[in-house]
Amino acid sequence: MAHPLSANPKTFVQILRWTLLIIPVAVIVGSLNAFFLWSLSFATETRIDNPWLLYLLPLAGIVIVYCYRNLGKNSEGGNNLIMDEIHEPGAGIPTRMGPLVLITTVITHLFGGSAGREGTAVQIGGATTHWLARCFKLNEADTRLILIAGVAAGFGAVFGTPLTGAIFALEVLAIGRLRYDAIIPALFAAILADVVCSAWGAHHTHYRIDFLETITLFEHAVKVDILMVAKIVLAAIAFGLAGYLFGELTHAFKDIFKATLKNPYLIVVVGGLIVIGAVHLIGNYDYIGLGVYSSREGGVSILSAFHEGGAEWYSWLLKLLLTAITLAAGYKGGEVTPLFFVGATLGNTMAWILGAPVDLFAALGFLAVFAAATNTPLACTIMGVELFGADHMLYFAIACYTAYYFSGHTGIYSSQRVAVPKLFDLDGAPTITHKLGELRETHSSLLKNLAKKFSK
């Protein structure tokens, strides 16, 4: 039997090969994401300075739908197309997906749609790496690995969280299972893409938690406050249900729009009009766009949610509804930054209800709603460390994993597989064998049943 160390030279060669393959991935994806972040910032500032642009949102939607129907090929599949290509190569990812989603996401934000940026960054990474895989003439196995690396590079660069990007790219593919065969390419790609993106001067938001605690039990210092853990579990249940609601509402609105309006141009116009009407009813612009910063003094944003009185009790629900409508109607962008907004503002509210530290609970909601909607609790725990520091890592993990369980077998990615059913699946493991989208068809939720009634 060969000594285990005998394979080391071959391993070294493989690592060197993948390092050389990843360098162009990181340079291109990091540079494109830097340009994307700059464009997004410019679009947001332009919209804030010119509020009347919101009234052109339906026309912008028509342009977006026209571009995808006439220029996009199968780009409409978005993140789900990339997941399907990783699991079952064959359909292909058009190179045009990257620039197309970049341009249409900027259009969405310029005219006031409520959307994020993660989906765009991931699609830029996926389209770029699939093109490079063809250029390098990689086989199916290597193409799969480089696609995962592209997802990691896109996610890590756009949020400035390279370790999270690497773990997310592995964890998001299948619920309950991590395959580490792509960890080296994914980690290299995420780190290098983040370096390249930062070198171009891309700006990432900085968050902080000021809450510190010293806990004693029987006059001895302990690491965990049991009462705080109980409060976190209660809040995390709410975070999990919010993640579930976001995913289900987005899918249900898509079903209802298709069943009632049918024509994609009509759908995007009606969706835009609903957003405009909602903004008028709300009376401010806090709930459109990314929502990281507020466009007015005293407004609600992700950053304001970290302070007492920085959000209304219903802020999370307004952002959830507007984002679900925007994306369901056909506008482009990601879901993650709006999920951060939903989680941070819900955390602000839960802190008020439970008598807990506002900044800590805003951070927990920020992470846990994302974990619930994407079924990536490990990546979100790591994100907590990269964004907020390691002091409260245990609380991050408790919140993310609790929310993950309470979101059920649903999520924002229809092509996500269920490899290992969640612990509290009362129907049993044998029934959970499909993509989330297929599972939703066979295990109709209340919202899915509602959508079916509209289609009759």
Side-chain angles (χ1 to χ4, degrees), residues 17-31:
R17 172 177 177 263
W18 274 104
T19 300
L20 295 175
L21 287 172
I22 289 306
I23 288 174
V25 170
V27 172
I28 297 174
V29 175
S31 299

Side-chain angles (χ1 to χ4, degrees), residues 38-48 53 106-107 109-110:
W38 176 83
S39 302
L40 206 55
S41 177
F42 176 78
T44 300
E45 291 173 4
T46 303
R47 177 183 54 76
I48 291 173
L53 287 172
V106 172
I107 290 173
H109 284 275
L110 178 62

Side-chain angles (χ1 to χ4, degrees), residues 118-353:
E118 152 273 338
T120 304
V122 167
Q123 289 173 54
I124 289 172
T128 300
T129 49
H130 198 267
W131 170 71
L132 287 171
R134 293 199 299 271
C135 292
F136 296 149
K137 296 182 172 22
L138 300 182
N139 58 31
E140 284 190 0
D142 284 345
T143 298
R144 174 183 175 274
L145 296 186
I146 204 170
L147 277 175
I148 294 173
V151 172
F155 192 99
V158 81
F159 291 117
T161 55
L163 183 55
T164 303
I167 300 300
F168 175 83
L170 299 174
E171 189 177 21
V172 75
L173 298 175
I175 293 175
R177 178 174 296 161
L178 277 170
R179 286 184 56 177
Y180 284 99
D181 54 344
I183 189 61
I184 295 297
L187 188 57
F188 282 177
I191 293 172
L192 292 175
D194 181 45
V195 169
V196 171
C197 189
S198 299
W200 281 109
H203 171 70
H204 296 111
T205 307
H206 297 283
Y207 304 93
R208 57 180 290 177
I209 301 174
D210 293 322
F211 171 72
L212 294 172
E213 62 178 352
T214 302
I215 316 117
T216 59
L217 187 62
F218 304 122
E219 299 183 356
H220 294 285
V222 294
K223 294 181 179 179
V224 180
D225 183 345
I226 301 302
L227 179 59
M228 182 67 75
V229 169
K231 292 179 180 180
I232 289 172
V233 169
L234 289 175
I237 293 173
F239 299 149
L241 295 176
Y244 167 84
L245 183 62
F246 181 86
E248 286 297 299
L249 272 179
T250 303
H251 294 307
F253 283 148
K254 284 181 181 178
D255 293 338
I256 291 171
F257 282 149
K258 288 179 180 178
T260 55
L261 302 176
K262 296 180 174 62
N263 188 300
Y265 291 101
L266 182 59
I267 290 172
V268 80
V269 168
V270 170
L273 292 174
I274 292 173
V275 171
I276 294 171
V279 170
H280 272 277
L281 288 174
I282 295 167
N284 59 63
Y285 297 88
D286 291 350
Y287 302 98
I288 58 175
L290 281 175
V292 177
Y293 306 97
S294 176
S295 60
R296 64 188 178 96
E297 188 174 348
V300 179
S301 66
I302 295 175
L303 288 175
S304 75
F306 283 77
H307 304 283
E308 190 170 346
E312 305 292 345
W313 66 267
Y314 51 79
S315 292
W316 67 275
L317 185 57
L318 291 180
K319 184 64 174 177
L320 188 152
L321 289 170
L322 280 175
T323 305
I325 291 169
T326 297
L327 297 177
Y331 295 92
K332 297 303 171 183
E335 301 92 347
V336 172
T337 305
L339 286 170
F340 291 162
F341 187 111
V342 170
T345 52
L346 180 56
N348 184 290
T349 299
M350 295 304 297
W352 171 68
I353 292 172

